Amino acid sequence: MENPNLLPGHGAFQQSVHIQSYRSVFLEDGDSLIALRLYHNTFKLAARLGFLAAESRRINLPFPCSHHDQRQREVCEWREALWLLWNSPEAQFLARAQESLPLFLQEILWQTSLLYHTSLIFSYTSLWPGQCLGPGAAPQEEVRHHAAAIFSIAESVMAQSKENCWRSVTFPVFLAGSVTSSSDLKVIALDMLSRLEVREIGRNATSIRYLFQVVYERQMQQSQGVGHPGSADWMEILAEHGLSLVASA
């Protein structure tokens, strides 16, 4: 049975920027309201995905089956809703104006973008056991695209945000490195987690870097037989080792 602690909670995506305080301080700022609304709507969709993931992992039925057919339809509807949200005029405006926005708004957009790409890559790879290899598995180019986007955003956060915001990138980087088949991207993930470990106060990054090494080594071993790096389910690997991943803000 799956360990429910392996499913990331809402805190896995939250930075230490206090978004509710922005709502009160910058209530009259149109750009702030647009950014907060995009974050709010993205977070609601991410929470919906979390419930789908928890239910899929809890039931843990063999694939294919009618349960997975229903889940796949729900996930497709979820992805369409997320796509429509991020292709709305407001989201496109923020994307074009991002570099000219104040740093606090850029941080909100980085957080929201991390949530967007992390949710999508999770939906393509980690909703149920064997998803990466089953019918309807996402093309590796799609996974690579979102993984590369996560690393790019994480670099921006680490370069310009305060160190107490860095922990927001640890789970997205862990997930991107764990599910991509690209050895180059896995090396990038390990390097970023190692840098986070050096600079972060506390042991969150240290623990996640260790968990990633466990997953990475197992995936490399499996790729020498059948499959590719990233095809082994990271949740199942951690569960086999009696390990859990609890990401915190």
Side-chain angles (χ1 to χ4, degrees):
M1 180 177 294
E2 293 291 334
N3 184 343
N5 288 332
L6 297 181
L7 290 172
H10 294 168
F13 307 106
Q14 289 182 308
Q15 287 187 9
S16 297
V17 290
H18 300 293
I19 288 185
Q20 290 300 325
S21 66
Y22 290 154
R23 185 183 300 277
S24 59
V25 175
F26 298 98
L27 190 59
E28 302 301 325
D29 187 327
D31 291 348
S32 299
L33 289 175
I34 293 173
L36 288 167
R37 185 159 50 242
L38 179 62
Y39 172 86
H40 175 73
N41 291 333
T42 303
F43 188 89
K44 285 198 303 183
L45 286 170
R48 178 180 164 193
L49 177 69
F51 289 123
L52 286 173
E55 180 68 10
S56 296
R57 291 271 171 175
R58 183 185 67 81
I59 295 176
N60 197 20
L61 293 175
F63 193 97
C65 66
S66 59
H67 165 76
H68 280 98
D69 290 341
Q70 177 186 350
R71 290 298 174 200
Q72 283 192 317
R73 287 193 296 271
E74 291 175 342
V75 172
C76 287
E77 292 172 358
W78 174 88
R79 289 195 191 114
E80 182 178 5
L82 189 63
W83 186 89
L84 289 173
L85 174 63
W86 276 78
N87 282 273
S88 66
E90 289 185 342
Q92 294 299 305
F93 163 76
L94 289 174
R96 291 192 299 269
Q98 180 166 353
E99 293 185 0
S100 63
L101 295 173
L103 180 58
F104 83 91
L105 277 182
Q106 292 188 46
E107 289 179 336
I108 293 175
L109 288 177
W110 289 332
Q111 179 179 358
T112 310
S113 297
L114 274 176
L115 184 55
Y116 168 76
H117 289 288
T118 303
S119 296
L120 276 174
I121 205 171
F122 192 94
S123 79
Y124 284 123
T125 63
S126 305
L127 286 176
W128 52 77
Q131 184 180 6
C132 289
L133 302 177
Q140 277 301 311
E141 293 78 8
E142 186 78 16
V143 175
R144 183 184 179 94
H145 164 73
H146 292 293
I150 287 170
F151 296 145
S152 177
I153 298 165
E155 286 286 4
S156 296
V157 172
M158 294 169 66
Q160 299 190 45
S161 294
K162 295 180 180 179
E163 291 183 15
N164 63 356
C165 296
W166 287 15
R167 67 176 59 191
S168 66
V169 309
T170 52
F171 176 74
V173 169
F174 168 88
L175 179 64
S178 295
V179 301
T180 181
S181 63
S182 168
S183 296
D184 292 342
L185 291 183
K186 288 183 181 295
V187 171
I188 291 174
L190 182 58
D191 173 70
M192 294 189 75
L193 291 173
S194 297
R195 283 188 283 143
L196 287 166
E197 179 183 13
V198 170
R199 300 292 296 274
E200 187 182 63
I201 298 174
R203 297 186 58 81
N204 188 54
T206 298
S207 299
I208 294 182
R209 192 268 306 156
Y210 170 73
L211 295 176
F212 178 71
Q213 284 189 307
V214 170
V215 172
Y216 189 11
E217 290 172 4
R218 172 66 176 277
Q219 290 176 338
M220 291 300 102
Q221 292 172 1
Q222 180 166 324
S223 69
Q224 295 174 4
V226 179
H228 56 71
S231 62
D233 190 299
W234 62 270
M235 290 189 189
E236 293 185 338
I237 294 172
L238 295 188
E240 288 173 8
H241 285 76
L243 302 171
S244 64
L245 189 155
V246 180
S248 60

